[in-house]
Amino acid sequence: MRPGRRQLPFQDLTPTAWFNLALAANAGLLILFIWGSVQSRGTMTYVAIDYRTFRSVGAIARDHGYQYVYDEPLLDAYQRPQVEAFATTLGQADYVPITVPYIPAFLPVFRLILWFPPLEGFLIWTLVSAFAMILAFRPSLERYPLQGRTTIWIAAFISLPVALTLLFGQVNALLSLGIAGYLVSMRRGQDFRAGIWLSLLLIKPQVLVVLGPGLLLGRQFRAALGLGVASLSLLALSFALSGQEGLSALASLYLRYHGNLPHTFPEGMMNWRAIATQVGLALRRASADWAAAAASVLTVILGLVLWVRIGQKRDEKDLAVVVLASYAATSLAAWHAHVHMAAPLLVPLLYLVAFLPWRAYFITWVLLPTFVFSLAGILLGPGPAHRAVALVMVVLNVAGLWLGWRQITPQRAIMDP
């Protein structure tokens, strides 16, 4: 620099420093949005909305039995008092009762929430969820230097899917643990155990639309057997808890999720359905839905072909790529896939962040959705924010599938460190 020349702010920052600065800016915007949401709407209506639902399920199971946890009038009767107690007038105006489409085997944990008062319980639930995500992400980060690892940890928890998981009180930490357990067990040659870990994804069975059949197409038969045995055990436990009445009610609920239930908000998802819903507002909705269904089928096929190509290879990078691309394909194809459900994709992505082109994908995946969502939320409100970020996540899911497709080929390019 010439003598007397004025030093401009941020002029000599390294790429890492720029990334840290962007993380700090995103964190500030996200905190401002959350603070504004709590001030305007209170809690149990946007913040803690899923936690509210899980708490009501635990109370219904305690008071009436697991066969009644899918009963919508009961869910309304148990959720409405929570909203009236903790939400503002604006928050109460947004209230609709929410159903829980989880098999009964996973529901007893929701009774533990009842040990604590509502707000204290939400704080504890959030801390437990964050700790479970740390456990899930940790195996992917073990080989990174401590200094760089700290930055990646911060980035992971500022990423929008993880932030929304904690903000809503969602259960995506369980999905993350399932995928992490699968990758670690496969790395150790424990295929049957790997399949058992994947059974945790049964809490949201749509997540297995590619990963489940992919095990068979990839000739990972012991892993598929582990998934099958564990899944049957969970279904047997579900029958023991709720009986035929409860499972029939759950099946009926599943059949209704393809429609526009009041609480599903399909235009805010990260799938082809979101595109169809947003486009369908201006065009013919039926045609848009059929186009989304066709795109979903094609996306599933593309994801499954990756498993055929990888076969029984044990290369850790290839397996991480296929799992990431499979999850991206699932997110596009599943008819119910909100943005927070993308959090488990971080498990393979954190392993791949040291390699090109995944480093650029990670930076974009972490920074862009949080920035778009937070800024739109502050300026326009949560609804427009979710619609805007839905389009961003669809593009990122397509990019993840495309990168995986390019990587897993018979003459695949070597990932340069």
Side-chain angles (χ1 to χ4, degrees):
M1 185 177 69
R2 294 177 181 177
R5 185 177 179 181
R6 186 176 180 182
Q7 178 75 31
L8 297 176
F10 313 121
Q11 184 175 359
D12 298 322
L13 292 183
T14 64
T16 300
W18 276 111
F19 181 60
N20 291 337
L21 185 63
L23 286 177
N26 269 2
L29 288 173
L30 188 60
I31 291 170
L32 183 60
F33 167 76
I34 295 171
W35 178 83
S37 179
V38 172
Q39 291 297 310
S40 62
R41 288 175 168 78
T43 57
M44 307 295 173
T45 182
Y46 184 77
V47 175
I49 187 171
D50 289 309
Y51 164 81
R52 174 197 88 201
T53 308
F54 302 153
R55 190 176 181 91
S56 69
V57 166
I60 293 172
R62 177 197 62 195
D63 298 342
H64 303 277
Y66 288 95
Q67 66 270 35
Y68 296 105
V69 296
Y70 310 109
D71 183 273
E72 292 180 52
L74 264 181
L75 286 165
D76 181 33
Y78 278 79
Q79 290 178 40
R80 189 179 294 274
Q82 298 180 68
V83 174
E84 291 174 348
F86 296 102
T88 65
T89 302
L90 177 61
Q92 293 179 38
D94 294 336
Y95 165 75
V96 291
I98 299 177
T99 56
V100 178
Y102 303 158
I103 62 173
F106 292 105
L107 302 184
V109 69
F110 296 150
R111 294 187 62 173
L112 302 178
I113 300 173
L114 304 177
W115 293 357
F116 309 97
L119 293 182
E120 290 83 348
F122 174 59
L123 176 60
I124 294 170
W125 180 260
T126 302
L127 292 174
V128 170
S129 181
F131 179 71
M133 283 193 164
I134 290 173
L135 293 179
F137 297 157
R138 184 179 177 184
S140 299
L141 295 173
E142 287 178 344
R143 59 199 180 93
Y144 296 116
L146 183 59
Q147 184 177 3
R149 196 187 310 171
T150 301
T151 299
I152 297 175
W153 274 119
I154 295 172
F157 278 87
I158 291 176
S159 70
L160 186 64
V162 174
L164 291 181
T165 292
L166 300 177
L167 185 67
F168 296 156
Q170 257 291 335
V171 295
N172 297 309
L174 200 64
L175 304 180
S176 302
L177 285 171
I179 291 178
Y182 165 77
L183 289 173
V184 171
S185 296
M186 289 298 293
R187 186 188 311 163
R188 297 173 178 173
Q190 300 167 332
D191 293 27
F192 187 80
R193 182 178 296 180
I196 293 176
W197 275 107
L198 279 183
S199 68
L200 293 179
L201 276 60
L202 199 64
I203 193 170
K204 296 188 178 183
Q206 70 269 32
V207 180
L208 288 167
V209 67
V210 177
L211 288 171
L215 297 179
L216 295 174
L217 293 175
R219 300 189 297 279
Q220 297 181 10
F221 298 121
R222 286 183 59 80
L225 180 61
L227 173 59
V229 170
S231 297
L232 288 175
S233 300
L234 289 172
L235 292 175
L237 177 58
S238 296
F239 182 81
L241 288 171
S242 67
Q244 183 177 349
E245 182 181 357
L247 293 183
S248 296
L250 176 60
S252 176
L253 181 61
Y254 281 154
L255 292 175
R256 295 176 57 210
Y257 259 74
H258 75 281
N260 292 326
L261 294 176
H263 59 271
T264 53
F265 195 59
E267 58 266 41
M269 296 184 187
M270 55 175 178
N271 51 15
W272 298 124
R273 182 186 182 189
I275 302 296
T277 305
Q278 294 198 35
V279 170
L281 296 175
L283 304 176
R284 292 181 59 186
R285 179 62 189 275
S287 300
D289 283 346
W290 277 109
S296 298
V297 172
L298 177 61
T299 303
V300 169
I301 293 173
L302 291 175
L304 292 175
V305 169
L306 290 176
W307 286 93
V308 175
R309 289 185 172 181
I310 193 175
Q312 292 179 308
K313 294 185 178 69
R314 293 285 176 172
D315 184 89
E316 294 179 20
K317 293 190 292 291
D318 281 353
L319 189 58
V321 169
V322 169
V323 170
L324 186 150
S326 295
Y327 203 93
T330 299
S331 299
L332 288 167
W335 212 241
H336 187 85
H338 280 291
V339 169
H340 58 70
M341 210 177 78
L345 186 143
L346 266 175
V347 175
L349 182 55
L350 289 174
Y351 179 86
L352 295 169
V353 71
F355 304 96
L356 295 174
W358 299 105
R359 186 180 306 140
Y361 182 73
F362 170 79
I363 292 171
T364 306
W365 196 92
V366 165
L367 294 179
L368 185 59
T370 304
F371 176 77
V372 170
F373 175 84
S374 300
L375 189 60
I378 293 168
L379 298 178
L380 303 173
H386 281 277
R387 293 186 187 94
V389 82
L391 304 179
V392 174
M393 290 300 297
V394 167
V395 172
L396 289 174
N397 285 331
V398 171
L401 178 58
W402 177 72
L403 288 173
W405 185 266
R406 289 194 60 191
Q407 196 75 65
I408 306 300
T409 62
Q411 297 84 27
R412 64 187 184 280
I414 298 174
M415 287 187 287
D416 299 320

